[in-house]
Amino acid sequence: MDSSRKKSTRVTILDVARESGVSYSTVSRALNGFDFVKGATRDKVLAAAEKLGYVANVQARSLAGGKTRIIGLLVPGLDNGYIGEIVRGVDEEIAKANYDLMLYTTRRRVGREAMYIDAISNGPSDGIILIVPLLEREYLTALREHHFPYVLVDQIDPQMHSPMVDATNWQGAYDATKYLIDLGHRRIGFITGLRAIQSALDRLDGYKAALADHGVRFDETLIAEGDFFTPGGYAAAQKLLKHKPRPTAVFASNDLMALGAMQAIRDQGLEIPEDISVLGFDDIPQASMVHPQLTTVRQPLEQMGRVAVSLLIEQIERPDNLERAARRVTLATRLIERESCAAVPTSDMKG
Amino acid sequence: MDSSRKKSTRVTILDVARESGVSYSTVSRALNGFDFVKGATRDKVLAAAEKLGYVANVQARSLAGGKTRIIGLLVPGLDNGYIGEIVRGVDEEIAKANYDLMLYTTRRRVGREAMYIDAISNGPSDGIILIVPLLEREYLTALREHHFPYVLVDQIDPQMHSPMVDATNWQGAYDATKYLIDLGHRRIGFITGLRAIQSALDRLDGYKAALADHGVRFDETLIAEGDFFTPGGYAAAQKLLKHKPRPTAVFASNDLMALGAMQAIRDQGLEIPEDISVLGFDDIPQASMVHPQLTTVRQPLEQMGRVAVSLLIEQIERPDNLERAARRVTLATRLIERESCAAVPTSDMKG
DNA sequence: ATGAAAGCGCTAACAG
DNA sequence: CTGTTAGCGCTTTCAT
């Protein structure tokens, strides 16, 4: 059979053993670094391996209980600047650590997610990074049961105390709201994210807190429900624009919705930021490419990806050290002032 | 040892065998579909597998000569809209075919690319898609030698007759140039891609051909060397803008460079498209997000990714059928008219 | 410090 | 049609 396409020609650990005149398992030890191997022997083996162009077979290694140096990454999809940035950070850090990357999209095998996670943890990955906003808890319990290393990105999981990395959502929203208030705005429309997502809640709370701290009355009718996607932002903004008197600023819980809001505002014949200011959250690449450029709260997405990788590798390579390892890393957000916010029109100055 | 984190709890083919009261290999056969298994037996096995929550171990299967249903994808990096679109298409099609995806970035292990490809082909993937502009030939010979399925995207390989998918680069550039000529432009600056890349050459040729076919004299000094990246486009445009008389249009060999060119033009205090038209190639997402929106030649990037997958799966699943299989698929480009091109200013009408 | 040997879970002949 | 039996290439005890 030709099914052995990946085998026939390949140089195995046995070839290296022959070439270097030592045994089978000594080669394995030498190749894997540590373990008691005489310096000379090791050098001999390494030289032979190099000469023969030996490359370890990941499958075999994994099957025999070793590591594959493959990290899994589960994301909803790639069609979203937000995810893309995190993925870049993940990829970079993975490369640096000399691991490889398996990319999983949740689109796959919908409806059988439990089994899906099971498949992943039964696949070649040594561990997995989850960037999945609405992850079911069963996922995590399955992972836990198998002692399979994982880390959550931008998603908390109060019950299980999972390792995770996120950003200062509350503070970011607070800062942004304060910024708007300092600009003179009093009627600040707020577009929420999905209520089921903790970061969405935190941002809303930050907004409310800033209002309260600066003597601006919270107005429930200035809150519009969003879903983190552009069309949702558009619809929410439309609703907000009907509010009388019209809000002088709109703060969207993420950039994608802010983009939708900008479109809705323009479609009403209004100018940004002259008539109405718009502020986003995330700082995805598009934020600086639209016109006017979007003022937004920057999440260090790429860095979040990087940190996630290091948290995961820590678990993979030092399973013993788990208790002392960092369980949660929260990175700072930062307001990026661009062009979509301005002082409130003087006609509106009374507040 | 705990190295067996992925094993201990797991239900194997053996458990399924016990549960369903048949043997080891019968389970394997039933699970793998075909092979002569009595309907009743198969159902029994499937039921048992389902009940036990059995998930195949990819490593073991691969080691034993089976398929992993993993497809490798090698790209330069993710920081490029062009690649991103292709990757999305790849991911989608892979999901549809029920495969998984390993993502490799060339950034890794630079300087040892030969060995890198070797590692990939020795990894879990059943085959690999290469979106690597300047791939060394050794890569391909190595793949060939191992009879490892692969397909090239947007990259030709005349010597080896590799399976590949690309777009009508020549025609796309021809159409774009003609469009500009029809708009009255006669001094059309052209920013090239990397000369080592065939598609860059084809685009240049398409440009020249359109000029020739429409009686516009080719002017070598209207050609500026680019590298497919934004800063290179910026620099090339700067050079072009010094040309006397100034070109009335600039055609960049890809959108990234067109974006750079737009910036250079604005930095000279010139208006797009009033003073000078700009045209790109690719239609990356950013093209429709900049202001003014970029008129460009659309490559069906996502579809290219999809086709690449199907070409690869064809090889993986029907290794016998190889000779008859499609070796090259070329998809049509299409001019997308947006806002960055206008008729030549009347003052320039003489040509 | 090194060799021998036992699997890891599965596929694929090979016999019935 | 189904059971038996070799390995796939490697890590890891267990001896030595």
Side-chain angles (χ1 to χ4, degrees):
Chain A
M1 264 306 287
D2 142 79
S3 76
S4 49
R5 61 151 69 61
K6 297 163 76 171
K7 288 169 220 145
S8 44
T9 326
R10 285 257 139 58
V11 18
T12 79
I13 202 175
L14 235 160
D15 300 315
V16 179
R18 247 194 310 272
E19 175 78 19
S20 52
V22 297
S23 98
Y24 205 9
S25 35
T26 302
V27 174
S28 174
R29 292 195 192 90
L31 258 25
N32 283 304
F34 15 61
D35 258 318
F36 311 78
V37 192
K38 210 182 352 177
T41 322
R42 157 192 265 89
D43 292 347
K44 211 164 45 180
V45 172
L46 261 34
E50 175 76 13
K51 174 180 166 196
L52 263 37
Y54 169 78
V55 178
N57 179 314
V58 174
Q59 284 78 247
R61 171 174 293 172
S62 164
L63 197 55
K67 301 277 180 291
T68 57
R69 299 196 80 81
I70 292 176
I71 285 180
L73 173 61
L74 181 62
V75 300
L78 281 345
D79 41 10
N80 177 321
Y82 163 79
I83 300 286
E85 289 300 289
I86 302 180
V87 173
R88 283 184 45 198
V90 166
D91 174 62
E92 232 163 79
E93 193 68 18
I94 281 187
K96 210 173 292 173
N98 198 29
Y99 273 69
D100 281 322
L101 178 62
M102 281 232 37
L103 185 64
Y104 296 94
T105 317
T106 55
R107 189 179 325 120
R108 236 155 294 206
R109 302 171 217 188
V110 269
R112 331 174 72 212
E113 9 293 283
M115 201 170 191
Y116 189 35
I117 282 279
D118 216 58
I120 293 179
S121 69
N122 201 12
S125 308
D126 287 340
I128 185 167
I129 296 174
L130 302 164
I131 316 186
V132 189
L134 289 171
L135 197 64
E136 305 294 326
R137 181 104 68 80
E138 290 79 62
Y139 280 28
L140 302 184
T141 48
L143 257 15
R144 262 300 159 78
E145 274 169 14
H146 291 312
H147 301 280
F148 193 76
Y150 70 91
V151 18
L152 269 24
V153 176
D154 196 12
Q155 169 192 186
I156 56 181
D157 157 42
Q159 310 83 24
M160 297 183 58
H161 198 51
S162 299
M164 51 163 293
V165 36
D166 65 352
T168 54
N169 290 300
W170 186 94
Q171 189 66 47
Y174 184 98
D175 294 345
T177 308
K178 175 173 186 313
Y179 170 74
L180 254 13
I181 294 172
D182 288 347
L183 246 24
H185 296 280
R186 291 299 174 271
R187 290 193 308 283
I188 303 173
F190 185 90
I191 304 179
T192 72
L194 250 20
R195 297 282 188 159
I197 296 181
Q198 185 60 40
S199 60
L201 267 26
D202 292 345
R203 290 173 199 175
L204 177 56
D205 286 346
Y207 160 83
K208 286 182 185 170
L211 254 32
D213 285 359
H214 297 83
V216 181
R217 192 181 55 78
F218 171 66
D219 177 355
E220 182 69 50
T221 64
L222 245 22
I223 304 292
E225 211 68 30
D227 60 359
F228 282 131
F229 292 102
T230 302
Y234 186 97
Q238 274 188 320
K239 193 183 130 201
L240 251 21
L241 289 173
K242 291 206 194 87
H243 190 278
K244 306 284 181 208
R246 199 209 298 141
T248 62
V250 170
F251 178 16
S253 289
N254 76 347
D255 286 349
L256 245 28
M257 293 195 297
L259 261 26
M262 286 174 77
Q263 193 57 51
I265 291 167
R266 269 195 299 264
D267 286 355
Q268 296 283 311
L270 265 21
E271 297 280 321
I272 305 168
E274 290 76 10
D275 298 318
I276 185 164
S277 290
V278 176
L279 207 155
F281 206 111
D282 281 351
D283 193 26
I284 58 179
Q286 297 142 60
S288 54
M289 289 180 342
V290 289
H291 190 80
Q293 294 186 10
L294 184 65
T295 290
T296 189
V297 178
R298 171 167 232 282
Q299 287 204 76
L301 299 170
E302 212 181 303
Q303 199 192 338
M304 286 164 69
R306 267 212 257 291
V307 172
V309 171
S310 64
L311 247 38
L312 186 62
I313 290 183
E314 172 78 20
Q315 293 180 63
I316 293 172
E317 299 185 350
R318 314 241 286 268
D320 40 309
N321 207 35
L322 241 51
E323 302 315 315
R324 266 163 302 163
R327 301 303 283 186
R328 174 172 184 171
V329 176
T330 302
L331 301 172
T333 52
R334 196 175 87 238
L335 184 72
I336 306 290
E337 293 185 51
R338 283 200 274 252
E339 308 164 348
S340 65
C341 293
V344 70
T346 45
S347 59
D348 256 301
M349 263 312 208
K350 58 245 176 167
Chain B
M1 264 304 288
D2 143 79
S3 78
S4 50
R5 60 153 67 60
K6 298 163 74 170
K7 287 170 221 148
S8 44
T9 325
R10 285 259 140 58
V11 18
T12 79
I13 201 175
L14 235 159
D15 299 315
V16 179
R18 247 192 312 271
E19 175 76 21
S20 52
V22 297
S23 97
Y24 205 11
S25 37
T26 302
V27 174
S28 174
R29 291 195 193 92
L31 257 26
N32 283 304
F34 15 61
D35 259 320
F36 312 79
V37 191
K38 210 184 349 179
T41 321
R42 155 190 268 92
D43 292 347
K44 210 164 46 180
V45 172
L46 260 35
E50 176 76 12
K51 175 179 167 197
L52 264 37
Y54 169 78
V55 178
N57 179 313
V58 174
Q59 284 77 248
R61 171 174 292 174
S62 165
L63 198 55
K67 301 278 178 292
T68 57
R69 298 196 79 83
I70 292 176
I71 285 180
L73 174 60
L74 181 63
V75 299
L78 281 345
D79 41 8
N80 176 321
Y82 163 79
I83 301 286
E85 288 300 288
I86 302 181
V87 173
R88 284 185 45 200
V90 167
D91 174 62
E92 231 162 80
E93 192 69 18
I94 281 186
K96 210 172 292 171
N98 198 30
Y99 272 70
D100 281 322
L101 178 62
M102 283 231 37
L103 185 64
Y104 296 93
T105 318
T106 55
R107 189 177 327 119
R108 237 155 294 206
R109 303 171 217 187
V110 267
R112 331 173 72 210
E113 8 292 285
M115 200 168 191
Y116 188 36
I117 283 279
D118 219 57
I120 293 179
S121 69
N122 203 9
S125 310
D126 286 340
I128 186 169
I129 296 173
L130 302 164
I131 317 186
V132 189
L134 290 171
L135 197 64
E136 305 294 325
R137 180 104 67 82
E138 292 78 62
Y139 281 28
L140 302 184
T141 49
L143 256 15
R144 263 300 160 76
E145 274 169 14
H146 292 312
H147 301 281
F148 193 76
Y150 70 91
V151 16
L152 270 23
V153 176
D154 197 11
Q155 170 192 184
I156 56 181
D157 157 42
Q159 310 82 24
M160 298 183 58
H161 198 51
S162 298
M164 52 164 292
V165 36
D166 64 352
T168 53
N169 290 299
W170 187 94
Q171 188 66 46
Y174 184 98
D175 294 346
T177 308
K178 175 173 187 314
Y179 170 75
L180 253 13
I181 293 172
D182 288 347
L183 245 26
H185 295 279
R186 292 297 175 272
R187 289 193 309 282
I188 304 172
F190 185 89
I191 304 179
T192 72
L194 251 19
R195 298 282 188 157
I197 296 181
Q198 185 61 40
S199 60
L201 267 25
D202 292 345
R203 289 173 200 174
L204 178 56
D205 285 346
Y207 161 83
K208 285 183 185 170
L211 253 33
D213 285 0
H214 297 83
V216 181
R217 194 180 54 77
F218 171 66
D219 178 353
E220 182 68 50
T221 65
L222 245 23
I223 304 293
E225 212 68 30
D227 60 0
F228 281 131
F229 292 102
T230 302
Y234 186 96
Q238 273 188 321
K239 195 185 130 200
L240 250 21
L241 290 172
K242 292 205 194 90
H243 190 278
K244 305 285 182 210
R246 199 210 298 143
T248 61
V250 171
F251 178 16
S253 289
N254 75 347
D255 286 350
L256 246 27
M257 294 196 296
L259 260 27
M262 286 174 76
Q263 193 57 49
I265 291 167
R266 270 194 298 265
D267 287 355
Q268 295 284 308
L270 266 19
E271 297 282 320
I272 302 168
E274 290 75 10
D275 297 316
I276 186 163
S277 291
V278 176
L279 206 155
F281 205 111
D282 280 351
D283 194 25
I284 58 180
Q286 297 143 58
S288 53
M289 289 178 344
V290 289
H291 190 81
Q293 293 186 10
L294 184 64
T295 291
T296 189
V297 178
R298 170 167 233 282
Q299 287 203 77
L301 298 169
E302 212 179 302
Q303 199 192 339
M304 285 164 70
R306 265 212 257 293
V307 172
V309 172
S310 64
L311 248 36
L312 187 61
I313 291 184
E314 172 78 20
Q315 294 180 61
I316 293 172
E317 300 186 350
R318 312 241 286 269
D320 39 309
N321 208 33
L322 241 50
E323 301 315 316
R324 266 164 300 163
R327 303 302 282 186
R328 173 172 184 171
V329 175
T330 302
L331 301 171
T333 53
R334 196 175 87 238
L335 184 71
I336 306 289
E337 292 185 54
R338 282 199 275 251
E339 308 164 347
S340 66
C341 292
V344 69
T346 44
S347 60
D348 255 301
M349 261 315 206
K350 60 244 176 166

